[in-house]
Amino acid sequence: QCGLWVLAALGKPVISMALGQPSDPAPKSALEAAKRALENGRIGYTNALGTEALRHRIAQFYADHYSIQVEPERVAVTTGSSSGFNLAFLALFDVGDRVAITRPGYPAYRNIMTALGIEVIEIPVGPGEGDLTGERLADIHRKTPLRGLLFASPANPTGSVLPFEDMQKVVLTAQSLGISVISDEIYHRLSHVGSDTTALSVSDDVTVINSFSKYYCMTGWRIGWMILPKHLVRPVDRIAQSLYISAPELSQIAAIEAFSGTSELEAVKSRYAQSRLILAQRLPRFGFDLAASMDGAFYAWCDVSKHTNDSMTFAKRMLAETFVAATPGHDFDPVNGQRYMRLSYAGPAKEMVEALDRIEKWLL
């Protein structure tokens, strides 16, 4: 990403397919709420778990969107999903505990847990590897006892969605084995093949992490949330007070109104769907074979081994020679990532088409 910023600063016509960041602003309702708050005066600290208004609004969202009841007291508002992961890991695990994640997967999972002294156990998924299932989880636990499991659906970098039946078996198997479950749901409302299913529909005894960054286009506002089992509310409250004091009040005020921006946000999602179809048709033509189904989020996880076995060097060359940035796969998969790249199609549709034109011309 450093090279991307340097070239952009030099005025080069860089198109980024590297960042998992929507190019649209927050909904107008959220922006207007923030403007009113700034005009009305002081922005300060809030309760460590968030304002009562936002916690109740998030609880209402679960009733509206998933048809499940969540007590507002179980909602913790966080400084983005990143602090949610920190809080979950600190509240649930001790140094030396083993926690399973899927590979490929979001690199911050591994990096944060490693920094906290937690041992990360990776479960390979994808072509030739299999899926995350209750049976696989139980088999791994027999060989290497686990304290926790973290999975994402839709997933980063693959966009894969875990079917409800599989999720149900995974969660129930984990609970039967005494394994704490964390469900990363930050790409919910960005599924392209069906409706969202939260892990809370299986059990209340899971920790769910979500964010306003992706669907709601609020990355820089640094605002997210957790749904906690009742026994974790007070531990997370205490840790959050010490680490973060509270999530930004201005962002909390805006986030309440972001839920009313659905018409704008669904238009953005429709553009993602258009770009998704274009990528699915064009990427294989020039040897970027799709290694996952692109069922959700806004990523294409591509096998580029027809061109290289060193995706880092390949990505650098592509940026330097086409001014198109993509993310090499090593961070997501330290074992086999050298043959993969992640392309984000969260940018404007015209830019996505232009980026594909440049790559195709460069390769063919």
Side-chain angles (χ1 to χ4, degrees):
Q1 292 184 13
C2 180
L4 185 163
W5 303 129
V6 170
L7 289 172
L10 292 173
K12 302 298 183 182
V14 174
I15 297 175
S16 177
M17 301 184 78
L19 299 178
Q21 171 167 265
S23 57
D24 291 86
K28 291 179 182 177
S29 55
L31 297 175
E32 291 168 357
K35 180 181 178 181
R36 289 194 300 270
L38 290 172
E39 291 173 344
N40 288 340
R42 187 178 68 87
I43 301 296
Y45 299 140
T46 74
N47 184 304
L49 295 181
T51 65
E52 290 300 310
L54 180 53
R55 295 170 76 190
H56 277 79
R57 185 63 188 86
I58 291 170
Q60 183 61 48
F61 165 72
Y62 279 84
D64 296 341
H65 189 64
Y66 301 102
S67 298
I68 63 173
Q69 298 301 311
V70 170
E71 300 92 335
E73 294 75 20
R74 293 172 53 207
V75 178
V77 179
T78 60
T79 308
S81 62
S82 298
S83 70
F85 291 116
N86 288 336
L87 292 167
F89 299 157
L90 287 166
L92 283 167
F93 309 126
D94 293 319
V95 172
D97 282 348
R98 297 187 185 96
V99 177
I101 62 173
T102 55
R103 188 185 76 234
Y106 181 47
Y109 302 153
R110 184 188 323 109
N111 297 341
I112 296 170
M113 284 192 279
T114 299
L116 294 175
I118 298 166
E119 182 180 351
V120 177
I121 305 297
E122 296 186 333
I123 303 174
V125 296
E129 301 285 5
D131 300 317
L132 175 63
T133 65
E135 292 79 5
R136 286 190 76 188
L137 179 65
D139 184 57
I140 291 168
H141 183 69
R142 280 192 294 269
K143 299 172 182 175
T144 309
L146 300 171
R147 181 67 184 85
L149 168 69
L150 165 60
F151 64 84
S153 178
N156 177 12
T158 62
S160 298
V161 173
L162 189 63
F164 173 72
E165 293 78 10
D166 292 343
M167 177 191 293
Q168 184 179 44
K169 290 178 181 177
V170 166
V171 171
L172 295 178
T173 298
Q175 293 183 335
S176 72
L177 297 171
I179 300 170
S180 298
V181 174
I182 302 172
S183 178
D184 176 351
E185 301 181 0
I186 71 172
Y187 292 100
H188 273 212
R189 305 193 76 178
L190 289 174
S191 175
H192 305 296
V193 296
S195 57
D196 296 322
T197 302
T198 175
L200 294 166
S201 64
V202 180
S203 172
D204 284 339
D205 193 22
V206 297
T207 298
V208 164
I209 295 177
N210 209 320
S211 172
F212 290 92
S213 290
K214 307 301 182 179
Y215 176 78
Y216 300 94
C217 301
M218 295 179 70
T219 51
W221 297 76
R222 308 314 303 133
I223 187 75
W225 75 85
M226 309 169 73
I227 308 297
L228 299 165
K230 290 182 179 180
H231 67 90
L232 282 184
V233 172
R234 185 56 183 150
V236 166
D237 188 6
R238 292 197 301 265
I239 299 168
Q241 288 179 38
S242 296
L243 289 183
Y244 306 108
I245 301 179
S246 69
E249 185 182 24
L250 183 66
S251 299
Q252 295 190 57
I253 293 168
I256 295 171
E257 299 304 324
F259 286 110
S260 63
T262 299
S263 60
E264 296 170 63
L265 297 170
E266 285 298 305
V268 174
K269 181 181 176 180
S270 295
R271 194 192 71 227
Y272 297 155
Q274 176 188 357
S275 295
R276 171 180 177 264
L277 292 175
I278 293 171
L279 265 67
Q281 293 168 356
R282 294 191 57 184
L283 288 171
R285 295 180 191 173
F286 49 82
F288 279 39
D289 295 332
L290 296 173
S293 55
M294 298 171 65
D295 288 339
F298 34 62
Y299 302 120
W301 180 242
C302 299
D303 184 340
V304 295
S305 57
K306 289 180 179 177
H307 301 289
T308 184
N309 283 316
D310 182 356
S311 59
M312 175 66 77
T313 299
F314 186 78
K316 289 179 179 178
R317 279 188 52 217
M318 191 171 81
L319 177 59
E321 297 175 24
T322 71
F323 301 123
V324 176
T327 308
H330 184 266
D331 281 351
F332 304 104
D333 184 347
V335 178
N336 297 311
Q338 69 277 359
R339 62 182 289 176
Y340 295 98
M341 292 177 65
R342 189 195 75 176
L343 279 70
S344 168
Y345 52 91
K350 289 183 179 179
E351 287 192 4
M352 299 300 97
V353 172
E354 170 64 20
L356 295 177
D357 290 344
R358 293 185 195 178
I359 297 171
E360 186 168 18
K361 182 178 179 181
W362 179 59
L363 291 174
L364 303 180

